[in-house]
Amino acid sequence: MDSTYSPEVNVKKKAIIYGVILGVISLVLSIISLYFSKTATSIVFSSVINILISYVLFLAAAVFFTLQLRKAVGGYWDFSTALKNIFIMLAITTVVGTIGINLFNVAYPNLQFEAIENTQNLTIEMMESNNIPDEQIDTTLEMLDQQKEALGSLSIGQILKGMAISILLYFILALIFAAIFKRERPMFRKSWI
């Protein structure tokens, strides 16, 4: 057996640690995204920045930590081991990120409302500049108002439901990452004696 191989328990510990770190990164990116949404002057700019911050940077960090996990097991892992450890990391990320953003929203409730209001205003401006009919603008505004009202009345059950959906989506991401980043140990090694 290769001397660089780490026991499974150490990999699970690293998956948990990386999950906490990735959860904190996710939380920070979510807060940055809220600030951009609050201060944006263009809906297109706001959308592009939010996609870059919320998805691209997060996925880059997730790939980095996935590669670190694979390195921790000696550089080789089968699909099952990859899936299990990546999913542990992403599930912990979900819990940390969800708890963190909800605590942040309790401490600073106005930021999320201001971000939504700015998004509403920018959406109206964009729709009016594109000569969208008033009925469609009203429908969009009504939908945004419902989202804003729903934020103020989130229950623990709704938060847990959202977390469960996130965990399901992260399981799918873990399946994709496991398929991409699995690396089987070679059956035969050349020996130079």
Side-chain angles (χ1 to χ4, degrees), residues 5 14 34 45 64 83 87-88 94 110 123-124 128 139 142 170 174 181 193:
Y5 180 76
K14 285 187 186 258
L34 281 173
F45 176 75
F64 172 78
L83 177 62
F87 181 66
I88 288 170
T94 301
N110 291 337
T123 302
I124 293 168
E128 286 175 346
T139 303
E142 187 177 319
Y170 277 146
F181 295 110
I193 300 180

Coordinates of all heavy atoms in Angstrom, one line a residue, residues 5 14 34 45 64 83 87-88 94 110 123-124 128 139 142 170 174 181 193:
Y5 N -1.1 7.3 1.4 CA -2.5 7.0 1.6 C -2.9 7.4 3.0 O -2.3 7.0 4.0 CB -2.9 5.6 1.3 CG -4.3 5.3 1.5 CD1 -5.2 5.7 0.5 CD2 -4.8 4.6 2.6 CE1 -6.6 5.4 0.7 CE2 -6.1 4.3 2.8 CZ -7.0 4.7 1.8 OH -8.3 4.5 2.0
K14 N -11.2 16.0 7.2 CA -10.9 17.1 6.2 C -12.1 17.5 5.4 O -12.3 18.7 5.2 CB -9.8 16.6 5.3 CG -8.4 16.6 5.9 CD -7.3 16.3 4.9 CE -6.0 16.1 5.6 NZ -5.1 17.3 5.6
L34 N -25.3 40.5 -1.8 CA -26.4 41.4 -1.3 C -26.0 42.9 -1.4 O -26.7 43.8 -1.9 CB -26.7 41.1 0.1 CG -27.6 39.9 0.3 CD1 -27.8 39.6 1.8 CD2 -29.0 40.1 -0.3
F45 N -25.7 44.6 -15.0 CA -24.4 44.6 -14.2 C -24.6 43.8 -12.9 O -23.8 43.0 -12.5 CB -24.0 46.0 -13.9 CG -22.8 46.1 -13.0 CD1 -21.5 45.9 -13.5 CD2 -22.9 46.5 -11.7 CE1 -20.4 45.9 -12.7 CE2 -21.8 46.6 -10.9 CZ -20.5 46.3 -11.4
F64 N -11.4 23.5 -5.8 CA -10.1 23.5 -5.1 C -10.1 22.6 -3.9 O -9.2 21.8 -3.7 CB -9.7 25.0 -4.6 CG -8.6 25.0 -3.7 CD1 -7.3 25.0 -4.2 CD2 -8.7 25.2 -2.3 CE1 -6.2 25.0 -3.4 CE2 -7.6 25.2 -1.5 CZ -6.4 25.1 -2.0
L83 N -17.6 10.5 -4.1 CA -18.9 11.0 -3.8 C -19.2 11.2 -2.4 O -19.7 12.3 -2.0 CB -19.9 10.0 -4.4 CG -21.4 10.4 -4.2 CD1 -21.8 11.7 -4.8 CD2 -22.3 9.2 -4.7
F87 N -19.7 14.9 -0.9 CA -21.1 15.2 -0.4 C -21.0 15.7 1.0 O -21.7 16.6 1.4 CB -22.0 14.1 -0.6 CG -23.4 14.3 -0.1 CD1 -24.2 15.3 -0.7 CD2 -23.9 13.7 1.0 CE1 -25.4 15.6 -0.2 CE2 -25.1 14.0 1.5 CZ -25.9 14.9 0.9
I88 N -20.2 15.0 1.9 CA -20.0 15.5 3.3 C -19.6 16.9 3.3 O -20.2 17.8 4.0 CB -19.0 14.6 4.0 CG1 -19.5 13.2 4.3 CG2 -18.5 15.3 5.3 CD1 -18.5 12.2 4.8
T94 N -23.7 23.6 3.2 CA -25.1 24.1 3.2 C -25.5 24.5 4.5 O -26.2 25.5 4.7 CB -26.0 22.9 2.6 OG1 -25.6 22.6 1.3 CG2 -27.4 23.4 2.6
N110 N -32.4 45.0 7.0 CA -32.7 46.0 6.0 C -31.9 45.7 4.7 O -32.3 46.1 3.7 CB -32.4 47.4 6.5 CG -33.4 47.8 7.6 OD1 -34.5 47.3 7.6 ND2 -32.9 48.7 8.4
T123 N -35.3 46.7 -12.4 CA -36.1 45.9 -13.3 C -37.1 46.8 -14.0 O -37.3 46.7 -15.2 CB -36.8 44.8 -12.5 OG1 -35.8 44.0 -11.9 CG2 -37.6 43.9 -13.4
I124 N -37.8 47.7 -13.2 CA -38.8 48.6 -13.8 C -38.1 49.5 -14.8 O -38.6 49.6 -15.9 CB -39.4 49.4 -12.7 CG1 -40.3 48.6 -11.8 CG2 -40.3 50.5 -13.3 CD1 -40.7 49.3 -10.5
E128 N -39.2 49.4 -18.7 CA -39.7 50.6 -19.3 C -38.9 51.1 -20.5 O -39.4 51.5 -21.5 CB -39.8 51.8 -18.3 CG -41.0 51.6 -17.3 CD -41.0 52.6 -16.2 OE1 -40.0 53.4 -16.1 OE2 -42.0 52.7 -15.5
T139 N -47.2 42.7 -13.3 CA -47.1 41.3 -12.9 C -45.7 41.0 -12.3 O -45.6 40.4 -11.3 CB -47.3 40.4 -14.2 OG1 -48.6 40.7 -14.7 CG2 -47.2 39.0 -13.8
E142 N -45.5 42.6 -8.9 CA -46.3 41.9 -7.9 C -45.5 40.7 -7.4 O -45.5 40.3 -6.2 CB -47.6 41.4 -8.5 CG -48.6 40.8 -7.6 CD -49.9 40.4 -8.2 OE1 -50.4 41.2 -9.0 OE2 -50.4 39.3 -8.0
Y170 N -26.9 20.0 -4.0 CA -25.4 19.7 -3.7 C -25.1 18.3 -3.9 O -24.0 17.9 -4.3 CB -25.0 20.2 -2.4 CG -24.7 21.7 -2.4 CD1 -25.0 22.5 -1.2 CD2 -24.1 22.4 -3.5 CE1 -24.7 23.9 -1.2 CE2 -23.9 23.7 -3.5 CZ -24.2 24.5 -2.3 OH -23.9 25.8 -2.3
A174 N -22.2 17.0 -6.2 CA -21.3 16.0 -5.7 C -21.1 14.8 -6.7 O -20.0 14.3 -6.9 CB -21.6 15.5 -4.3
F181 N -13.7 14.1 -11.0 CA -12.5 14.1 -10.2 C -12.0 12.7 -9.7 O -11.1 12.6 -8.9 CB -12.5 15.1 -9.1 CG -12.6 16.5 -9.5 CD1 -13.8 17.2 -9.4 CD2 -11.6 17.1 -10.2 CE1 -13.9 18.5 -9.9 CE2 -11.7 18.4 -10.7 CZ -12.8 19.1 -10.5
I193 N 14.0 -1.6 -11.3 CA 15.0 -2.3 -10.4 C 16.3 -2.5 -11.2 O 16.3 -2.9 -12.3 CB 14.5 -3.6 -9.8 CG1 13.3 -3.2 -9.0 CG2 15.5 -4.2 -9.0 CD1 12.6 -4.4 -8.3

